[in-house]
């Protein structure tokens, strides 16, 4: 039997059980998800015009950024006359350099929760103007002084159903370290954040004892499979690796797995110990048009924009009102779905805030060692 947390699609397997066939039917319909919800007309449809003004929007590429463009940037541009240019992928070092030089080329950026708090410490972002951005649209935890939530997502165990059958694939972080039972290359994100948590959970550390992280123990655990790890630097790479068969299993974001599956990839994900995190939208300090940037942030958190983004990506909304317009078949892919939230672990971004720079340095030395 499939484990409780599994979502799987194998487009080439005609022997799938009924549960999987239902999921395959769902995925066929999910491609039209953006058109199927009866979305409201946003109350934030802009009456203010920004004709002739330009913003540069930076994110992580792939379907994630394409969906932000369609859900946030295109409506904003159509309503205001502003020109919104896409750039990326997001690069924290580049942000530091541009802001430090005093004239950033980028205006609005999608950042991780760790970089939000670290960037606040280093004065990289403009303070959010909540006279423009409607704070009441956001769940309280997602309205920060220097960033507004974009979406909630998770890291999940994933595997190719060509390499392993649905009943025999890796189900836990510990399974990713078991090369005998689950042979083949596995993929991890080339980032210290979350990778240390995954290694410690795989080594038997319980969620309530996870922080502060035992870095030495985590790196020792990673050393045990180091030669079998393929590192991905962008979320799009993770989809490519699992789709092309470069790896048999590994770490993926829930929305990237959803996107790969609906495009026909033979991929399964698990929800046990899924690691949950949050992305934020920020305005870089020194932006050439802070006012227009704040209005774009406000447009992005409206119910219609959030629902369009969620229906295209399977990342969960930060505006609770958007859930009314999220397609029901999509809900099994959302990390905030109650069953998944119960199995999940929220990463401690505040702990990372004071550790990120030093651990990034140690991480780079370990990777090159």
């Amino acid at each position: 039997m499939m484990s409780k947390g599994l979502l799987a699609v194998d487009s080439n397997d005609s022997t799938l059980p009924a549960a999987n066939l239902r999921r395959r039917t769902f995925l066929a319909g999910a491609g039209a998800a953006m058109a199927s919800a009866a979305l409201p007309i946003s109350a934030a449809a802009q009456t203010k015009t920004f004709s002739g003004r330009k913003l540069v929007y930076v994110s992580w590429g792939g379907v994630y950024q394409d969906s932000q463009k369609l859900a946030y940037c295109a409506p904003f541009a159509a309503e205001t006359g502003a020109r919104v240019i896409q750039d990326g992928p997001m690069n924290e070092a580049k942000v530091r350099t541009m802001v430090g030089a005093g004239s950033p080329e980028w205006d609005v950026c999608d950042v991780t929760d760790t970089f939000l708090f670290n960037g606040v410490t280093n004065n990289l972002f403009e303070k959010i103007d909540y006279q423009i951005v409607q704070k009441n649209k956001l769940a309280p935890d997602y309205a920060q002084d220097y960033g507004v939530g974009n979406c909630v997502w998770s890291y999940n165990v994933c595997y190719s159903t060509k390499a392993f059958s649905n009943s025999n694939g890796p189900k836990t972080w510990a399974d990713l370290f078991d090369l005998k039972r689950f042979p083949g290359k596995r993929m991890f994100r080339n980032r210290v954040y979350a990778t240390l948590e995954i290694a410690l959970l795989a080594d038997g550390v319980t969620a309530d004892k996870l922080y502060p992280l035992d870095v030495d123990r985590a790196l020792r655990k990673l050393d045990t499979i180091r030669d079998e790890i393929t590192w991905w630097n962008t979320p799009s790479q993770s989809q490519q690796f699992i789709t092309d068969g470069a790896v048999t299993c590994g770490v993926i974001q829930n929305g990237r797995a959803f996107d790969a599956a609906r495009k026909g990839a033979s991929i399964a994900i698990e929800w046990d110990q899924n690691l949950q995190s949050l992305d934020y939208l920020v305005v870089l300090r020194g932006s050439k048009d802070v006012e227009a940037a704040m209005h774009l942030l406000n447009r992005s958190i409206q119910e219609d924009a959030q629902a369009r983004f969620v229906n295209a990506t399977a990342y969960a909304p930060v505006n609770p009102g958007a859930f009314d317009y999220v397609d029901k078949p999509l809900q099994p892919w959302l990390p905030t779905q109650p069953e998944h939230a119960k199995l999940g672990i929220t990463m401690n971004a505040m702990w990372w805030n004071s550790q990120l720079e030093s651990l990034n340095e140690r991480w780079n030395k370990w990777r090159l060692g």
Side-chain angles (χ1 to χ4, degrees):
M1 293 179 62
M2 293 189 304
S3 68
K4 186 177 182 181
L6 175 66
L7 281 177
V9 175
D10 187 336
S11 58
N12 298 314
D13 188 353
S14 61
T15 65
L16 293 176
N20 275 359
L21 292 175
R22 287 195 294 272
R23 292 187 180 104
R24 291 174 67 190
T25 301
F26 148 61
L27 287 165
M34 292 182 73
S36 64
L39 294 172
I41 297 175
S42 172
Q46 306 291 322
T47 56
K48 189 175 181 66
T49 62
F50 297 107
S51 182
R53 290 156 75 169
K54 180 185 78 172
L55 292 172
V56 179
Y57 189 98
V58 176
S59 189
W60 301 95
V63 67
Y64 185 88
Q65 187 164 354
D66 288 345
S67 301
Q68 289 175 313
K69 178 181 177 180
L70 290 172
Y72 309 158
C73 301
F76 176 79
E79 293 160 6
T80 67
R83 184 182 175 203
V84 183
I85 299 171
Q86 302 294 313
D87 202 356
M90 170 61 192
N91 184 294
E92 296 173 4
K94 189 171 182 178
V95 167
R96 296 177 196 279
T97 300
M98 287 193 301
V99 173
S103 183
E105 300 170 7
W106 296 345
D107 298 294
V108 175
C109 292
D110 183 304
V111 301
T112 63
D113 52 0
T114 52
F115 190 55
L116 171 70
F117 294 120
N118 188 263
V120 170
T121 300
N122 290 282
N123 196 26
L124 299 180
F125 311 132
E126 297 282 347
K127 192 169 186 178
I128 301 300
D129 185 349
Y130 282 112
Q131 296 299 311
I132 296 174
V133 179
Q134 295 171 282
K135 194 173 187 177
N136 65 326
K137 293 285 186 178
L138 295 164
D141 290 345
Y142 306 153
Q144 302 289 339
D145 287 346
Y146 290 86
V148 297
N150 176 62
C151 65
V152 183
W153 52 271
S154 61
Y155 286 115
N156 299 69
V157 172
C158 77
Y159 62 88
S160 166
T161 54
K162 290 182 178 179
F164 309 107
S165 68
N166 290 331
S167 59
N168 294 316
K171 296 172 175 56
T172 67
W173 299 124
D175 287 346
L176 295 185
F177 289 78
D178 190 337
L179 298 175
K180 185 175 182 179
R181 289 178 59 210
F182 307 104
K185 291 285 187 180
R186 46 264 288 128
M187 63 180 182
F188 282 73
R189 188 169 195 176
N190 184 18
R191 175 173 289 179
V192 66
Y193 178 62
T195 306
L196 295 185
E197 282 93 334
I198 288 168
L200 290 171
L201 291 166
D203 205 36
V205 178
T206 58
D208 61 323
K209 302 293 185 183
L210 199 52
Y211 298 95
L213 300 179
D214 185 336
V215 179
D216 291 335
R217 181 175 175 178
L219 294 179
R220 285 197 302 270
K221 185 67 174 177
L222 287 165
D223 278 334
T224 65
I225 61 167
R226 182 173 185 154
D227 292 342
E228 297 301 321
I229 296 176
T230 298
W231 301 97
W232 55 268
N233 294 299
T234 66
S236 296
Q237 282 183 317
S238 67
Q239 292 176 271
Q240 180 182 347
F241 290 157
I242 197 75
T243 300
D244 293 349
V247 301
T248 61
C249 57
V251 180
I252 200 168
Q253 293 169 329
N254 70 295
R256 295 291 176 161
F258 164 79
D259 184 57
R262 72 173 168 180
K263 290 175 179 175
S266 301
I267 184 173
I269 64 171
E270 293 284 345
W271 289 96
D272 289 346
Q273 293 185 323
N274 69 90
L275 288 173
Q276 300 200 0
S277 189
L278 183 74
D279 267 28
Y280 287 90
L281 297 177
V282 300
V283 178
L284 297 193
R285 182 169 62 83
S287 164
K288 298 177 180 63
D289 200 332
V290 174
E291 180 192 21
M294 292 295 170
H295 279 279
L296 176 53
L297 262 59
N298 186 54
R299 189 65 184 89
S300 74
I301 63 171
Q302 303 303 312
E303 288 86 349
D304 64 324
Q306 284 275 294
R308 286 191 179 96
F309 177 76
V310 174
N311 286 340
T313 63
Y315 293 122
V318 294
N319 179 336
F323 278 106
D324 292 339
Y325 307 99
V326 171
D327 292 335
K328 283 184 168 50
L330 201 86
Q331 292 175 8
W333 291 84
L334 299 181
T336 52
Q337 194 261 1
E339 184 176 353
H340 301 161
K342 183 170 60 177
L343 295 171
I345 300 167
T346 300
M347 288 181 282
N348 190 334
M350 291 302 294
W351 183 87
W352 275 100
N353 181 40
S354 61
Q355 304 290 328
L356 187 60
E357 289 189 28
S358 63
L359 288 182
N360 270 336
E361 183 177 348
R362 185 170 180 185
W363 175 256
N364 290 330
K365 288 180 179 178
W366 178 82
R367 284 276 289 112
L368 295 172

